[in-house]
């Protein structure tokens, strides 16, 4: 395809985990003529690895710093003298748990409304909104796109409000993506905290004990499939259509814990339902105690290995530690011709995450019990 015929894309929140990987996918596969990446965090301070740094230096990648919750700032990033953007990916909303409703309104709902309004005004051909599968009811049964909605964290309540706001935006052609837990290189909030906790128990030389049971559903999808799916949806689906993303592995806490234990050569067990329910009575205190136990040895290992600053942490917010299943059916998108390439989480893929962070000098190599090849 001639360069001029390739789409021009705008990636909002493009320095984040999904954004940097999506930018890399589009550039490496020569799928676009231009990528404008927008984020509050500049690439230079975004903890990018060497591969992602190189991608952001591509001549077809342009970075703009903006606060998308501000109307004027948002309007500027959509304006381009070379023409409108064909596809807009909205990955810009807040993802961390434990923030206030005021923060979520500004960083999730207001950002989405502003970006959708500008996209419609500029004639964007397709607006793709990143949501999350935690907007569904936390039942053990797999949630399909028409499943019962009952967001189980505060941030997901505002994600659902954002989805509803899109329907009120006249002239906007949009689809919504609801992924399971996304993991892969660059992940800091998905499976990485559990990897770090595994490393912490290696440091402590103790058995890792977890709340609830092994069969707690924690479904997953690899970042490479997420990027491929986002691009696939640029011209697939009707206005307002929703697509789940989830691999075939039926991932559970047991699957993840077994892999983490094998990776760091530790043992693990579960408190079970009875003891976990007792902890739930005073969940705030229980989680604070657990996080404090994990943070101290992590800090010790970082100091010992000369790591002065790292964005990585074993901290897990209490909203993610209740007995709630993330059980997702991701097959609908396959009826449109999409195919998942990563069927399930495995040891090799988790090793890649850790090794990338060790190479970046933000994960203590002394906690890694295998040889990392240069």
């Amino acid at each position: 395809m001639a360069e001029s015929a390739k789409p021009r894309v705008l990636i909002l929140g493009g320095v984040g985990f999904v954004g940097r990987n999506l930018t890399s996918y589009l550039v490496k596969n020569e799928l676009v003529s231009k990528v404008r990446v927008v984020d509050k965090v500049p690439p230079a301070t975004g903890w990018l690895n060497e591969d992602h740094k190189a991608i952001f230096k591509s001549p077809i990648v342009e970075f703009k710093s903006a606060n998308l919750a501000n109307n004027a700032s948002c309007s500027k990033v959509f304006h381009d003298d070379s023409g409108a953007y064909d596809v807009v990916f909205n990955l810009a909303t807040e993802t961390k748990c434990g923030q206030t409703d005021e923060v979520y309104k500004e960083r999730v709902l207001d950002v989405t409304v502003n970006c959708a309004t500008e996209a419609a005004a500029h004639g964007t051909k397709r607006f793709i909104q990143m949501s999350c599968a935690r907007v569904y009811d936390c039942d053990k049964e797999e949630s399909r796109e028409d499943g019962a909605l009952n967001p189980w964290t505060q941030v997901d309540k505002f994600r659902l409000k954002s989805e509803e706001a899109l329907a009120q935006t006249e002239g906007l052609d949009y689809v919504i993506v609801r992924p399971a837990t996304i993991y892969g290189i660059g992940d800091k909030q998905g499976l990485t905290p559990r990897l770090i906790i595994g490393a912490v128990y290696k440091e402590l030389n103790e058995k890792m004990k977890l709340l609830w049971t092994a069969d707690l559903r924690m479904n997953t999808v690899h970042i490479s499939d997420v990027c491929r799916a986002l691009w696939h949806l640029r011209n697939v689906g009707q206005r307002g259509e929703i697509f789940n993303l989830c691999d075939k592995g039926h991932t559970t806490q047991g699957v993840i814990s077994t892999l983490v234990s094998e990776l760091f050569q530790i043992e693990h067990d579960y408190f079970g339902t009875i003891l976990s329910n007792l902890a739930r009575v005073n969940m705030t205190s229980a989680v604070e105690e657990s996080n404090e136990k994990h943070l101290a040895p992590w800090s010790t290992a970082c100091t010992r290995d000369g790591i002065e600053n790292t964005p990585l942490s074993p901290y897990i917010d209490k909203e993610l530690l209740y007995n709630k299943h993330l059980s997702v059916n991701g097959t609908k998108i396959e009826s449109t011709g999409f195919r998942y390439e990563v069927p399930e989480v495995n040891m090799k893929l988790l090793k890649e995450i850790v090794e990338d962070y060790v190479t970046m000098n933000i994960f203590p190599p002394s906690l890694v019990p295998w040889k990392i090849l240069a």
Side-chain angles (χ1 to χ4, degrees):
M1 182 185 295
E3 198 68 24
S4 59
K6 294 178 182 178
R8 294 159 46 82
V9 305
L10 181 60
I11 304 180
L12 308 171
V15 178
F17 169 41
V18 177
R20 67 186 62 180
N21 280 283
L22 178 60
T23 303
S24 178
Y25 173 76
L26 297 178
V27 173
K28 285 183 175 179
N29 289 283
E30 301 180 349
L31 298 170
V32 296
S33 60
K34 178 177 180 178
V35 183
R36 175 176 283 182
V37 173
V38 179
D39 209 301
K40 287 194 296 186
V41 178
T45 59
W47 301 100
L48 273 63
N49 64 21
E50 292 303 315
D51 182 54
H52 290 142
K53 286 178 182 177
I55 289 295
F56 274 73
K57 292 177 182 177
S58 166
I60 68 167
V61 177
E62 176 192 35
F63 174 76
K64 292 280 189 181
S65 178
N67 175 9
L68 296 171
N70 178 279
N71 285 321
S73 183
C74 185
S75 180
K76 286 180 182 179
V77 303
F78 276 82
H79 176 75
D80 191 327
D81 291 336
S82 301
Y85 289 95
D86 301 295
V87 186
V88 175
F89 299 94
N90 185 21
L91 317 173
T93 60
E94 179 64 64
T95 57
K96 291 181 181 178
C97 291
Q99 309 293 315
T100 64
D101 283 359
E102 289 76 15
V103 168
Y104 290 137
K105 179 185 179 299
E106 177 183 334
R107 298 183 186 175
V108 181
L109 182 57
D110 292 351
V111 165
T112 298
V113 170
N114 288 349
C115 294
T117 300
E118 290 296 331
H122 284 80
T124 299
K125 295 176 183 177
R126 174 54 58 91
F127 185 92
I128 300 176
Q129 173 79 4
M130 176 69 80
S131 186
C132 180
R134 290 198 304 264
V135 299
Y136 294 117
D137 193 35
C138 57
D139 192 73
K140 197 171 183 178
E141 295 300 316
E142 289 184 349
S143 294
R144 294 181 178 271
E145 286 79 357
D146 59 354
L149 299 173
N150 184 18
W152 43 281
T153 70
Q154 286 302 107
V155 65
D156 292 306
K157 289 178 182 178
F158 280 87
R159 282 187 173 125
L160 186 56
K161 289 182 180 181
S162 296
E163 291 186 17
E164 294 164 350
L166 292 178
Q168 307 305 315
T169 309
E170 291 187 14
L172 183 70
D173 186 329
Y174 72 97
V175 293
I176 295 167
V177 179
R178 292 176 179 167
T181 298
I182 308 173
Y183 71 100
I185 288 177
D187 162 37
K188 296 182 183 69
Q189 298 178 32
L191 297 187
T192 294
R194 290 178 180 268
L195 289 168
I196 295 171
I197 290 170
V200 162
Y201 278 94
K202 173 178 169 55
E203 173 77 6
L204 293 171
N205 194 28
E206 292 181 15
K207 179 184 289 187
M208 179 173 68
K209 295 207 68 173
L210 304 118
L211 289 171
W212 313 111
T213 62
D215 65 355
L216 182 64
R217 302 279 178 100
M218 294 182 172
N219 286 181
T220 52
V221 61
H222 192 265
I223 185 61
S224 63
D225 279 334
V226 172
C227 293
R228 290 175 52 253
L230 288 172
W231 183 242
H232 176 78
L233 291 171
R234 75 194 183 280
N235 53 18
V236 167
Q238 302 299 311
R239 180 183 189 273
E241 197 163 0
I242 298 167
F243 294 91
N244 293 341
L245 296 179
C246 185
D247 62 30
K248 309 294 185 180
H250 305 290
T251 312
T252 61
Q253 178 166 235
V255 168
I256 296 167
S257 300
T258 297
L259 289 171
V260 169
S261 295
E262 291 178 7
L263 202 60
F264 291 101
Q265 299 175 9
I266 60 173
E267 295 181 345
H268 73 277
D269 200 358
Y270 304 93
F271 286 107
T273 303
I274 295 175
L275 287 177
S276 297
N277 274 320
L278 288 173
R280 187 177 61 175
V281 174
N282 194 359
M283 195 65 158
T284 299
S285 177
V287 171
E288 284 178 356
E289 183 179 335
S290 176
N291 280 322
E292 286 176 8
K293 177 178 180 176
H294 299 153
L295 287 166
W298 173 249
S299 178
T300 297
C302 287
T303 301
R304 181 180 63 230
D305 288 6
I307 298 172
E308 296 180 358
N309 195 11
T310 176
L312 306 179
S313 171
Y315 179 87
I316 299 180
D317 192 87
K318 71 176 183 179
E319 285 190 294
L320 300 177
L321 290 173
Y322 287 100
N323 189 28
K324 296 183 176 182
H325 296 275
L326 184 62
S327 185
V328 187
N329 186 304
T331 60
K332 175 183 172 181
I333 193 173
E334 293 179 299
S335 67
T336 68
F338 179 78
R339 292 292 176 267
Y340 293 95
E341 291 184 349
V342 183
E344 60 185 5
V345 61
N346 60 49
M347 187 80 74
K348 178 178 179 292
L349 296 172
L350 295 185
K351 273 189 174 183
E352 286 178 353
I353 299 171
V354 175
E355 291 178 357
D356 184 59
Y357 285 142
V358 170
T359 301
M360 292 174 66
N361 196 36
I362 56 175
F363 192 111
S366 64
L367 299 183
V368 179
W370 69 89
K371 184 177 181 180
I372 298 178
L373 301 176

